[in-house]
Amino acid sequence: MRILVLSKYARNGASSRYRTYQYLPFFEQLDIEVKVMPLFDESYIDQLYNSGKVSRVEYFRAFLRRISSLVTVYHYDVVLIEYEVFPYFPALFERLLSWTGIKYLVDYDDALFHQYDMHPSWLVRRLLGNKIATVMKLSEVVIAGNGYLMDYAKLAGSKRVEVIPTVVDLDNYPLTVNNKRHNSKFTIGWIGSPTTARYLQLICPALREFCEASGSHVRIVGSGEIELPGVDIEIVEWSEEDEIEMLHTFDVGIMPLPNEYWARGKCGFKLIQYMACGLPVIASPVGVNSDIVEHGVNGFLAKTTEEWVAALNALLSDSLLRQNMGEAGRSKVERQYSLQVTAPHLAGILSSVA
């Protein structure tokens, strides 16, 4: 079986790294030939995160790169598309694939459709508001990262929808006993990108109150420059090589989210990473967070400042609670959110289409 993956990013793009690239060694073991051809190469992510802007030259190169990829689709049994062929462009190429008999699947780990149907420009809403629904309907299978995305795909009239969460490879996540972490201060941890770091502002009052009272601090990985007034923070640059080691320095992992449509499409990957490291978690009860976090078992769900502070105080004061919650979280990842579970599922889906 030969598969062409039209990913959005190269390996340094988190969504593509975890939705595509980490599956490649598993597919190789099954003698499944996979060719990944990203729309945006590594320089795109570097420009976006370093300056917040991407040059027009980079977009033009991406366009040419994707066109050259499409020329090769006839050499493969199945085409797997991350999100869409071209962003901010009608579903013309997806229609062409369908009309010419090319079998394609689409994969979503974000509510990309809200990028169009809730765009501030009426023209974008008018021209592209139903684009992702069309892409989904024409595909052989929609692979959705959570129930919110699954529901949209079903309403779009998709032939088949399969839910595969964004997961971790447990072979890369050795356990460290939570109550033996060697932090001089109780450490609240967050990992992500500059585009999602703004959500930390939502709980700044809770973090400030808790850190001032307890002498704790917040370690933030991958955010770039961020200000949380009154909060003792440490900003750490993200790297793939040091990512898991850095997660093991946390005492608790957090994932605040606003109760908005876009946030409801998130796949809760931060929580899965924390839990894979045996960490207790605290999260906003938004979208899939409420499925991943079992309140009082592997972590806490918190809405208000008072609830966030209470959850942090409970974990600060009870190392055994931290350990028990961390063990429960790790167990859940092993059962539901690991590559060891989802890779055979994905391989089966691809085989059934081919």
Side-chain angles (χ1 to χ4, degrees):
M1 182 167 57
R2 304 188 70 211
I3 299 168
L4 173 64
V5 180
L6 299 179
S7 67
K8 184 169 184 178
Y9 304 114
R11 187 178 177 86
N12 65 339
S15 59
S16 296
R17 182 168 63 254
Y18 288 106
R19 298 295 289 185
T20 293
Y21 287 92
Q22 74 166 339
Y23 284 89
L24 299 185
F26 179 86
F27 290 151
E28 288 177 5
Q29 295 174 11
L30 296 178
D31 292 326
I32 298 174
E33 181 181 341
V34 181
K35 176 70 172 179
V36 183
M37 303 186 78
L39 174 64
F40 297 114
D41 64 12
E42 293 189 355
S43 64
Y44 173 90
I45 291 291
D46 292 340
Q47 288 182 35
L48 183 64
Y49 287 170
N50 291 333
S51 67
K53 298 178 182 180
V54 178
S55 68
R56 293 182 179 179
V57 172
E58 185 63 43
Y59 284 115
F60 182 67
R61 289 175 57 216
F63 176 81
L64 294 180
R65 191 180 302 114
R66 181 50 51 93
I67 289 294
S68 67
S69 302
L70 291 171
V71 172
T72 71
V73 295
Y74 292 100
H75 301 305
Y76 298 89
D77 300 305
V78 180
V79 179
L80 175 59
I81 302 169
E82 287 184 13
Y83 305 145
E84 56 194 338
V85 174
F86 285 108
Y88 287 97
F89 196 85
L92 172 63
F93 292 94
E94 291 86 354
R95 290 184 186 276
L96 286 173
L97 290 176
S98 178
W99 290 340
T100 55
I102 301 297
K103 296 178 180 179
Y104 79 84
L105 304 83
V106 281
D107 180 43
Y108 296 92
D109 67 344
D110 259 326
L112 186 74
F113 37 87
H114 290 324
Q115 177 177 287
Y116 299 126
D117 62 19
M118 293 186 177
H119 196 279
S121 168
W122 68 269
L123 186 60
V124 172
R125 295 195 303 271
R126 172 82 180 214
L127 296 178
L128 301 175
N130 292 319
K131 176 194 174 176
I132 299 304
T134 299
V135 172
M136 289 177 167
K137 187 174 182 178
L138 293 172
S139 70
E140 297 298 317
V141 183
V142 175
I143 300 171
N146 59 48
Y148 185 76
L149 306 177
M150 174 191 70
D151 290 342
Y152 184 90
K154 288 183 175 180
L155 286 173
S158 302
K159 303 182 187 81
R160 177 182 171 190
V161 185
E162 298 281 350
V163 175
I164 296 183
T166 306
V167 300
V168 295
D169 183 349
L170 287 176
D171 290 342
N172 297 328
Y173 283 77
L175 278 174
T176 297
V177 178
N178 193 40
N179 62 357
K180 292 184 180 179
R181 299 176 195 277
H182 301 293
N183 292 319
S184 59
K185 295 181 179 181
F186 183 78
T187 301
I188 304 162
W190 179 94
I191 191 168
S193 68
T195 58
T196 56
R198 67 184 186 276
Y199 297 143
L200 287 168
Q201 303 289 348
L202 299 170
I203 60 167
C204 183
L207 295 175
R208 180 170 56 245
E209 179 180 336
F210 174 76
C211 289
E212 287 179 349
S214 66
S216 303
H217 80 142
V218 182
R219 182 166 290 146
I220 303 171
V221 181
S223 68
E225 291 300 317
I226 184 174
E227 293 186 5
L228 296 174
V231 182
D232 179 6
I233 64 173
E234 174 192 0
I235 299 174
V236 180
E237 185 177 352
W238 177 88
S239 74
E240 185 174 357
E241 294 76 19
D242 299 331
E243 177 181 44
I244 297 170
E245 181 181 351
M246 189 56 59
L247 288 167
H248 277 295
T249 69
F250 300 169
D251 289 298
V252 57
I254 60 172
M255 185 175 177
L257 280 179
N259 190 12
E260 300 173 351
Y261 286 109
W262 179 263
R264 292 171 199 164
K266 293 290 182 184
C267 287
F269 184 64
K270 293 178 182 61
L271 298 175
I272 293 164
Q273 285 187 291
Y274 302 148
M275 290 160 59
C277 291
L279 289 169
V281 298
I282 309 174
S284 304
V286 175
V288 77
N289 284 9
S290 298
D291 297 325
I292 297 172
V293 180
E294 298 172 61
H295 185 74
V297 177
N298 55 23
F300 294 107
L301 294 168
K303 290 183 180 179
T304 65
T305 295
E306 292 74 20
E307 289 174 350
W308 275 92
V309 171
L312 288 166
N313 277 319
L315 293 171
L316 170 67
S317 63
D318 193 337
S319 62
L320 182 59
L321 177 65
R322 296 199 299 272
Q323 181 177 336
N324 289 340
M325 284 187 165
E327 290 174 355
R330 170 72 181 205
S331 178
K332 186 164 188 174
V333 170
E334 291 173 353
R335 296 192 312 270
Q336 297 178 234
Y337 298 104
S338 68
L339 183 70
Q340 288 70 17
V341 172
T342 59
H345 185 192
L346 179 56
I349 294 169
L350 293 168
S351 296
S352 69
V353 174

